[in-house]
Amino acid sequence: RPLAHPIKNGKNYVWSHDIFIPEAMYRHPEHSEKVNKFICLSPWHQQFFSEHHKVDQSQIYLQGNGLDLSRYQDYPNVEKDPYRLFYSSSPDRGLLTLLKQFRILRKEFPKLNLHIYYGFFNWKAAIEQRKNPQEMDHLRQIEELLTLDGVHYHDRVSQKVLAEEQMKSSLWVYPTLFTETNCITASEAMMAGAVPVCTTLAALATTVPDGCGIKVEKPEQCLEMTAQLLRNPELQDVYREKGRKHVIANCGWEVTANRWIQMFSKT
């Protein structure tokens, strides 16, 4: 929409953080020829955006999210808990499924604990405003399961605290059906040495590369994969090492900044 105005500038870049540009913002598609590059965050995002907006993929530049790696280098001696899982995404993106799976897993692994770092305020306020019965029931079930033994709800915490808590965890389990465009939490988990167990949906298929975690087609499959890793902790180390190396090589701010510079200099 801003490109409909006679702005005097040399280059225009449109960065879509969501899976597409909402219609309210994309009222002037005839001005898209003024765009040097559209920016998407993953191969899946590029494909979806291209099809949705009828933009040729050659017009799209891939630019994944960056991560402050120093947050994870401040805690070199954090001791891992082999029975600790963490969750730090919006609660509507798979938390209910995880809590149900946790209840089953704890029967076999009584020392298992789940630490949740996120706020409910915005989501809860939206549900109360919409008064959607399904959403209200979804929230009610989550609130009930938060009282399970071994579940620890921390609300929002600082990035520094979150990094330390993630590094204490052995696994990041994300049985989601949400279409991530990138998923910073996945990169944080790998950097923290918390082995990902997640779906292959959308960007997760590439944000968690093969060999850096366990990916499944359906959320319910996360249950057995998590159990396998808990039964065989030595298997975690291979994923852990590969995941950390991948993030260091591809997700730090220096690497991310260089990708932006490369785009600006070539387009």
Side-chain angles (χ1 to χ4, degrees), residues 152-213:
H152 308 274
Y153 175 62
H154 301 273
D155 209 319
R156 290 184 178 272
V157 297
S158 70
Q159 291 292 303
K160 186 177 179 65
V161 170
L162 180 62
E164 183 178 12
E165 297 302 309
Q166 289 170 331
M167 292 185 74
K168 294 177 184 176
S169 305
S170 292
L171 302 177
W172 169 63
V173 185
Y174 193 40
T176 189
L177 285 173
F178 181 78
T179 49
E180 298 277 6
T181 54
N182 182 260
C183 191
I184 292 176
T185 303
S187 298
E188 290 177 337
M190 288 185 285
M191 188 63 192
V195 178
V197 181
C198 63
T199 59
T200 58
L201 184 65
L204 289 169
T206 50
T207 301
V208 179
D210 293 344
C212 296

Side-chain angles (χ1 to χ4, degrees), residues 10-265:
K11 295 183 178 183
N12 297 300
Y13 299 89
V14 176
W15 185 15
S16 178
H17 194 79
D18 290 323
I19 61 174
F20 58 86
I21 301 172
E23 179 139 359
M25 295 293 293
Y26 202 64
R27 290 177 182 165
H28 301 277
E30 68 273 15
H31 295 290
S32 62
E33 71 275 3
K34 298 178 183 179
V35 178
N36 293 73
K37 284 288 182 181
F38 291 92
I39 301 160
C40 291
L41 289 85
S42 65
W44 174 86
H45 190 200
Q46 179 184 32
Q47 177 77 22
F48 183 91
F49 187 93
S50 172
E51 293 174 357
H52 183 84
H53 287 301
K54 305 297 185 287
V55 173
D56 191 273
Q57 291 199 31
S58 63
Q59 289 183 265
I60 302 173
Y61 188 83
L62 279 181
Q63 173 65 280
N65 287 319
L67 185 64
D68 181 4
L69 305 185
S70 68
R71 288 196 282 127
Y72 298 88
Q73 294 160 347
D74 290 341
Y75 305 103
N77 300 315
V78 170
E79 184 176 354
K80 280 208 175 295
D81 179 346
Y83 295 104
R84 180 184 174 115
L85 318 178
F86 88 85
Y87 182 97
S88 59
S89 296
S90 181
D92 58 320
R93 299 183 184 183
L95 180 56
L96 179 57
T97 301
L98 175 58
L99 287 165
K100 291 179 178 179
Q101 293 180 358
F102 176 83
R103 182 169 54 187
I104 297 170
L105 287 164
R106 207 161 193 265
K107 294 177 182 178
E108 181 178 351
F109 308 98
K111 294 182 180 179
L112 195 65
N113 54 91
L114 169 63
H115 292 260
I116 301 164
Y117 304 91
Y118 211 90
F120 276 74
F121 181 80
N122 291 336
W123 183 47
K124 191 172 183 178
I127 289 175
E128 290 173 349
Q129 184 177 29
R130 288 191 291 261
K131 300 188 184 306
N132 182 299
Q134 289 182 320
E135 287 185 313
M136 294 171 72
D137 184 59
H138 189 163
L139 175 60
R140 179 191 59 76
Q141 289 186 67
I142 288 177
E143 290 179 330
E144 287 180 359
L145 292 172
L146 287 177
T147 64
L148 287 171
D149 288 343
V151 174
H152 308 274
Y153 175 62
H154 301 273
D155 209 319
R156 290 184 178 272
V157 297
S158 70
Q159 291 292 303
K160 186 177 179 65
V161 170
L162 180 62
E164 183 178 12
E165 297 302 309
Q166 289 170 331
M167 292 185 74
K168 294 177 184 176
S169 305
S170 292
L171 302 177
W172 169 63
V173 185
Y174 193 40
T176 189
L177 285 173
F178 181 78
T179 49
E180 298 277 6
T181 54
N182 182 260
C183 191
I184 292 176
T185 303
S187 298
E188 290 177 337
M190 288 185 285
M191 188 63 192
V195 178
V197 181
C198 63
T199 59
T200 58
L201 184 65
L204 289 169
T206 50
T207 301
V208 179
D210 293 344
C212 296
I214 294 181
K215 296 176 289 186
V216 296
E217 293 293 325
K218 300 176 181 178
E220 54 266 29
Q221 295 173 304
C222 287
L223 174 62
E224 180 54 32
M225 294 299 101
T226 303
Q228 285 190 24
L229 286 175
L230 291 170
R231 294 184 196 117
N232 304 280
E234 68 280 358
L235 295 177
Q236 299 178 26
D237 292 335
V238 177
Y239 294 117
R240 194 167 281 134
E241 182 178 359
K242 289 183 178 179
R244 187 175 173 84
K245 285 182 177 178
H246 165 75
V247 174
I248 291 172
N250 296 281
C251 304
W253 279 124
E254 184 174 354
V255 173
T256 303
N258 283 334
R259 285 200 301 263
W260 282 95
I261 292 169
Q262 184 179 38
M263 179 187 70
F264 292 142
S265 62

